[in-house]
Amino acid sequence: MKDAIYQNLIAGDRWKYIANGLGVTLRITLFAVLIGIVLGFLVAVVRSTYEKTHKLKLLNLLCQVYLTVIRGTPMVVQLLIMYYIVFVSVTSKIMVASLAFGINSGAYVAEIIRGGIQSIDNGQFEAGRSLGFNYPQTMIYIILPQVFKNVLPALANEFIVLLKETSVCGYIALQDLTKGGDIIRSQTYNAYVPLFTVALIYLVMVMIFTQLVKILERRLRSSERR
């Protein structure tokens, strides 16, 4: 085992493939999360506004098309379309991957947030109107803070899935964490050490992220009691 670890990680500084790949994975995940939150929030607000007021009909139709296409096609296919067709002239693979994963995540985030908005009692909207708030103000100051607390576990799960989905970046020749392990395997002809190392790193990252979400949930619950 020691010899296998040395040959796969130490010799030839092969650990750098893992380290560099981890950096790429984290960057893509961070950018994709930001894009997914913004896009998902906008789509959810448009769809919820249409359901409540029957306004924004055209935007709602566009959002429905977006959700149908993104949720109905595989992530790998979307990534390849983005890289080879939509952004064929873009040289930054990290940017292309971030946009692809962010757009994909936005569709699922939108449905999570929309479900959270629907779970809020209509009395909350009426309370906002009684306070003199218009619909946007009611959403911002009354509804969305409650929605965030309700959907936080579902959002955390979506972001964990997003982190693991970035492992398909190798399809566009991007050296992420998984590709780094694959490069080591191709050099040493040993699959055990590099693949289990990659799997362990993903597991640790997911555990850390899950723990951070639990801490945030506890703080939100404690703030409600005050």
Side-chain angles (χ1 to χ4, degrees):
M1 175 62 71
K2 290 182 179 179
D3 290 339
I5 293 175
Y6 177 81
Q7 290 297 326
N8 285 273
L9 300 178
I10 307 301
D13 289 334
R14 292 192 175 98
W15 61 270
K16 291 183 179 180
Y17 291 114
I18 299 291
N20 294 335
L22 175 60
V24 170
T25 293
L26 291 176
R27 273 186 287 171
I28 292 174
T29 303
L30 175 61
F31 295 146
V33 165
L34 296 176
I35 295 171
I37 289 176
V38 173
L39 187 57
F41 170 79
L42 293 175
V43 172
V45 169
V46 168
R47 296 204 65 203
S48 298
T49 300
Y50 176 78
E51 291 170 354
K52 296 285 184 182
T53 66
H54 296 289
K55 297 179 180 179
L56 307 177
K57 185 175 182 179
L58 179 58
L59 286 177
N60 179 67
L61 179 61
L62 293 175
C63 290
Q64 287 181 321
V65 172
Y66 159 70
L67 293 173
T68 300
V69 171
I70 295 301
R71 297 171 70 195
T73 54
M75 179 65 245
V76 175
V77 176
Q78 295 172 24
L79 179 62
L80 293 175
I81 290 174
M82 286 290 222
Y83 182 69
Y84 289 109
I85 300 176
V86 179
F87 296 108
V88 65
S89 61
V90 177
T91 57
S92 175
K93 295 179 181 179
I94 291 180
M95 188 185 80
V96 174
S98 299
L99 286 171
F101 286 107
I103 291 172
N104 178 271
S105 179
Y108 296 94
V109 171
E111 289 300 277
I112 291 172
I113 296 177
R114 186 175 73 90
I117 293 174
Q118 289 179 331
S119 68
I120 303 298
D121 189 85
N122 284 331
Q124 297 289 332
F125 289 92
E126 295 172 1
R129 293 191 187 97
S130 67
L131 292 172
F133 290 159
N134 56 28
Y135 183 81
Q137 289 174 327
T138 301
M139 288 289 291
I140 294 172
Y141 296 113
I142 297 178
I143 305 302
L144 291 179
Q146 299 179 65
V147 169
F148 176 73
K149 295 177 182 178
N150 293 339
V151 304
L152 182 60
L155 284 177
N157 183 65
E158 164 58 24
F159 297 148
I160 288 172
V161 171
L162 174 62
L163 171 64
K164 293 184 290 185
E165 278 188 342
T166 59
S167 61
V168 301
C169 285
Y171 278 89
I172 61 172
L174 187 59
Q175 188 182 318
D176 67 321
L177 178 58
T178 302
K179 187 65 175 178
D182 194 52
I183 292 173
I184 296 174
R185 179 193 58 78
S186 68
Q187 293 179 352
T188 63
Y189 301 101
N190 183 312
Y192 180 86
V193 173
L195 292 182
F196 271 91
T197 300
V198 169
L200 180 61
I201 292 174
Y202 274 114
L203 177 61
V204 170
M205 287 193 295
V206 168
M207 291 175 64
I208 292 174
F209 186 78
T210 302
Q211 189 61 36
L212 291 175
V213 172
K214 289 181 179 179
I215 293 173
L216 180 58
E217 286 180 331
R218 285 199 297 267
R219 290 187 176 180
L220 289 175
R221 285 196 297 268
S222 64
S223 66
E224 288 179 349
R225 301 191 189 101
R226 295 175 183 175

